Amino acid sequence: MKDTGIVYHQQALRFFETGQYEQAVENWIQAYDAGFEKETILNALYDCFVNPNEQEFREHFAQSATGYTKLAYEDCMLDFIPVSEDRFYMFDRETESFQGLFAMENAPVQGENEVFDSILYTDEWDIRTILADKKKNNRNAVYLLLNEAEPRFASFFKLPRFREIYLSNTVAFSSLNHLTAFFEQYEDFSLPGQIVSAQADRYEKLFGEIHEKRVRHVGTERNNIFVSVCIPVKLKEQARQKLMEDLKNCRYDCELEVVTGGEEQADAFSTSDARLRYYAYEERDGFAINARKALLSARGYCKILTDGGNVLAQMTEKLNYMKAHANTSIFYQGGG
């Protein structure tokens, strides 16, 4: 291994002398990993690449870290070795190990597929891990629960335009208490629909409990309703029971409301759910007039008009479709 390290070191010197800095750094990292003169190599890399850019790193951090972390610059665990304006090798000071290359994107990352569900990553610092999904899917939100990963994640704010390019729809939480308090206090923010975590069951249970609290908060003002399900008919018993069962199992809360008619209908539902709303239904008015009443009463950005009780089935797919076709504000689903 020592002989291999010497070879890499000698190659690195040749590349450095000819101005081929990325190849030089690559070979010095190989020599370092082979155990050759680790302290000498590290000092050389810092002297030639890191320290000359220290002030610029500090300025980027000061400009972009606010709102995402309360850590100080000195608390950051990763250092960056620039080999070009947008390519950086990463060194972890705590583990004393190199963490590969980070190549900055040229423009803000936004996927083409419209996906309604937000996603949560836990204990993840490496922005490269979430890039595949970010490049593919345009989600309403990406949540990061950092925990012990915060000093490494915060390090990325040293890089130019990092916040602008990667974090346009991203919310970061330093701890589970911070995350829980946020979703309990701000009920207009959607709960994560997908969880990437080694403890996914734990977080699914937590969000299930928060969801149950939300749907019991009858009378709470709701300002982020995406879809109103409008039912301008008097449902028969079987359809009503199917609707209530589907509503009970529906994991969406702040994003959805069900608009149906009249006090008689309200008594028939015999349930207390913040997603249920009632309008002045009159059976003698017929479908068209009641449909207009329901639509005018609805507060969602998009509206589903239906005469059946099976409308909440496959709601995730419907929300994805409506988000992708948001210019169409009213959708119709026949009974079933």
Side-chain angles (χ1 to χ4, degrees), residues 181-318:
F182 175 86
F183 284 114
E184 288 184 341
Q185 181 176 354
Y186 300 107
E187 295 191 4
D188 284 333
F189 280 81
S190 299
L191 297 172
Q194 185 175 344
I195 300 172
V196 181
S197 173
Q199 303 180 69
D201 291 346
R202 175 190 183 189
Y203 297 108
E204 287 174 0
K205 181 175 183 293
L206 170 66
F207 293 129
E209 293 169 351
I210 296 174
H211 168 78
E212 289 300 322
K213 292 179 182 178
R214 287 183 172 189
V215 300
R216 289 198 299 268
H217 288 174
V218 178
T220 300
E221 184 176 358
R222 304 170 71 217
N223 301 308
N224 194 35
I225 300 171
F226 179 75
V227 60
S228 297
V229 176
C230 302
I231 308 174
V233 298
K234 182 177 180 180
L235 294 175
K236 295 181 180 179
E237 177 66 21
Q238 184 177 0
R240 186 169 62 247
Q241 291 301 323
K242 176 66 168 66
L243 176 66
M244 293 313 302
E245 185 65 25
D246 287 346
L247 185 62
K248 179 181 178 181
N249 294 325
C250 180
R251 60 181 175 83
Y252 299 102
D253 40 65
C254 67
E255 313 91 336
L256 175 143
E257 68 175 2
V258 176
V259 181
T260 187
E263 293 182 2
E264 180 184 350
Q265 192 89 310
D267 293 338
F269 277 113
S270 65
T271 188
S272 180
D273 191 306
R275 296 168 292 182
L276 275 173
R277 293 183 61 242
Y278 305 95
Y279 71 97
Y281 169 83
E282 292 289 346
E283 188 169 5
R284 64 176 180 270
D285 287 340
F287 181 83
I289 293 177
N290 276 299
R292 183 174 183 274
K293 288 181 180 179
L295 291 170
L296 289 174
S297 176
R299 299 171 296 178
Y301 181 79
C302 293
K303 301 163 183 68
I304 300 177
L305 186 64
T306 181
D307 58 359
N310 197 38
V311 67
L312 295 180
Q314 298 179 313
M315 183 52 67
T316 297
E317 291 79 1
K318 292 173 183 175

Side-chain angles (χ1 to χ4, degrees), residues 108-122:
V109 175
Q110 180 173 312
E112 295 184 358
N113 296 332
E114 294 292 349
V115 176
F116 188 84
D117 280 349
S118 58
I119 188 170
L120 169 70
Y121 294 87
T122 73

